[in-house]
């Protein structure tokens, strides 16, 4: 009995015991995987899928992760540019050994499905983008709560910076200061009129 399976955009005719080099799979050496995209089952009663055979699968053991033969790409631009470039590439592959061909019941086998893995360089940026968005959302409320303290009479950019360093970033925070808290601030001398103005501005 043989089967025609599809993986990594290619089709393979396999039998039990065959060893294949397929496009890299997300599996470690020694794991058992199952190819669920079976196009055809051959034997005494051939079955052709439309496009796949329902319930059919091919099971295999992962031998190791390997690299294919080096392919050299040479580009030469003549006349005006007169440049040359040589690039080498070795495709990442997975070596598997076909162990069994199932004509039915593949969904109940409990074997891990054989799926490809994205290159490491592509996965990292995708993981970072949501984190940056989450940070931006977390910072947005804090930025909205901050007030421009330079709106107070006698408070310039330098004084506003010192107030921010002391943890006072809004009119409400300045208005809520007690006499003891004002005396404890060493970076800048808080004037009583600043507190009065902050109370008015905090009310809106």
């Amino acid at each position: 009995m043989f089967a025609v399976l599809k993986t990594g955009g290619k089709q393979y005719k396999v039998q039990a015991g065959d060893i294949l080099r397929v496009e890299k799979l997300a599996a470690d050496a020694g794991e058992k995987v199952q190819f669920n995209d079976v196009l055809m089952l051959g034997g005494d009663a051939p079955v052709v899928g439309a496009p796949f055979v329902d319930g059919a699968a091919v099971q295999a053991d992962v031998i190791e992760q390997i690299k294919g033969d080096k392919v050299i790409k040479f580009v030469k631009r003549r006349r005006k540019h007169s440049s040359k470039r040589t690039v080498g590439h070795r495709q990442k592959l997975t070596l598997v050994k076909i162990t069994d061909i199932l004509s039915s019941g593949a969904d109940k086998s409990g074997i891990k499905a054989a799926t490809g893995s994205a290159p490491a360089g592509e996965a990292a940026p995708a993981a970072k983008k949501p984190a940056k968005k989450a940070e931006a959302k977390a910072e947005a409320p804090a930025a909205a709560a901050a007030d421009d303290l330079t709106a107070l009479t006698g408070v310039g950019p330098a004084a506003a910076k010192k107030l921010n360093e002391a943890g006072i970033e809004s009119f409400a925070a300045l208005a809520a200061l007690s006499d003891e808290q004002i005396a404890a601030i060493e970076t800048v001398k808080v004037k009583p009129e600043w507190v009065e103005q902050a109370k008015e501005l905090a009310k809106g």
Side-chain angles (χ1 to χ4, degrees), residues 53-196:
V53 180
D54 292 335
V58 176
Q59 295 179 352
D61 290 332
V62 177
I63 300 174
E64 63 177 328
Q65 299 287 355
I66 61 174
K67 286 186 178 181
D69 297 332
K70 180 174 283 189
V71 178
I72 302 296
K73 178 185 176 184
F74 177 74
V75 178
K76 181 176 181 180
R77 304 171 71 190
R78 296 186 300 160
R79 299 183 182 90
K80 292 183 180 180
H81 304 286
S82 185
S83 64
K84 296 185 292 184
R85 183 177 62 181
T86 303
V87 180
H89 173 72
R90 294 186 67 187
Q91 184 66 28
K92 293 183 178 180
L93 304 171
T94 301
L95 196 64
V96 298
K97 181 177 182 180
I98 306 301
T99 57
D100 197 12
I101 297 175
L102 304 178
S103 58
S104 61
D107 53 341
K108 298 178 182 179
S109 65
I111 304 298
K112 173 183 175 181
T115 56
S117 60
E122 295 178 6
K128 288 180 182 177
K129 286 180 182 178
K132 287 184 179 178
K133 289 182 180 178
E135 288 175 7
K137 288 180 181 178
E139 291 173 2
D147 295 321
D148 184 9
L149 298 179
T150 57
L152 300 171
T153 304
V155 177
K161 183 179 179 181
K162 291 179 180 179
L163 287 171
N164 290 338
E165 290 174 356
I168 303 167
E169 298 182 351
S170 64
F171 298 133
L174 182 57
L177 290 177
S178 64
D179 294 338
E180 294 179 356
Q181 291 173 327
I182 292 173
I185 298 174
E186 298 178 355
T187 56
V188 63
K189 184 178 180 180
V190 179
K191 298 180 181 179
E193 53 265 28
W194 295 356
V195 178
E196 294 300 324

